[in-house]
Amino acid sequence: MLKEILVISISAIFIENFVLVKFLGICPFLGVSKKIETALGMGMAVTFVMAMSSAITWCVDTFILKPFGLDYLQTIAFILVIAALVQLVEMFLQKMLPALYNALGIYLPLITTNCAVLGSALLNIQNNYNFIKSVVFGATAAIGFTVAIVLFAGIREQLEFSDIPEFLKGFPIALITAGLISIAFLGFSGLKL
């Protein structure tokens, strides 16, 4: 069991990184990655939401949807759970960390429709993970998201001081950088676990 959890964790963070390999959660990845502080804040918010939503959606699916034959409501039920969790995070940040709340701006409520969060919940069910594996997968996939967004933010901060041709400044160089980081992460796909 411990070996399986380790394999799930390493795979979710590096080998099947949601942003750099599966290309899920690109909107906040590109939108909130101009500064390391905001990227880290978004990563922590997504980590909380993905870990909690993995636990709650597994319970909803196992104890409500499947027993009553309501599997077809999975996506709607999962989005409702995720939206409720995002509202909790948003209220907490607004009250306790207003600077981070303002820095995240529109991207914080967008966690509700972040395909990485919903993808994590759906992949837990698709992979037939039990409760513990679901929570571990959700949390480590979010850690992988955080690693990717913080790494990208660090590079983008350095690019501000780099001599870049005028036609590549801004978003074009960000896309090129994201592609190169993605290629680098594909190197992990050869790991044998």
Side-chain angles (χ1 to χ4, degrees), residues 50-132:
M50 278 178 79
M52 292 301 293
S53 69
S54 292
I56 296 170
T57 55
W58 184 89
C59 292
V60 166
D61 188 64
T62 303
F63 300 118
I64 298 171
L65 298 179
K66 285 183 180 169
F68 294 104
L70 301 172
D71 292 355
Y72 61 92
L73 294 175
Q74 229 175 34
T75 304
I76 294 170
F78 291 1
I79 288 174
L80 289 173
V81 167
I82 293 165
L85 287 169
V86 170
Q87 284 300 308
L88 287 173
V89 169
E90 196 169 358
M91 289 187 301
F92 173 79
L93 289 179
Q94 189 173 18
K95 181 80 172 167
M96 304 304 282
L97 301 165
L100 179 58
Y101 174 80
N102 291 329
L104 293 176
I106 187 66
Y107 294 99
L108 187 58
L110 284 178
I111 294 174
T112 301
T113 58
N114 186 339
C115 54
V117 179
L118 180 60
S120 170
L122 292 172
L123 283 171
N124 285 331
I125 305 304
Q126 181 182 343
N127 293 334
N128 292 320
Y129 288 153
N130 62 24
F131 180 77
I132 293 172

Side-chain angles (χ1 to χ4, degrees), residues 9 11 13 23 28 31 60 95 129 142-143 159-160 182:
S9 299
S11 179
I13 294 171
F23 304 112
V60 166
K95 181 80 172 167
Y129 288 153
I143 290 169
L159 287 174
E160 292 295 320
S182 181

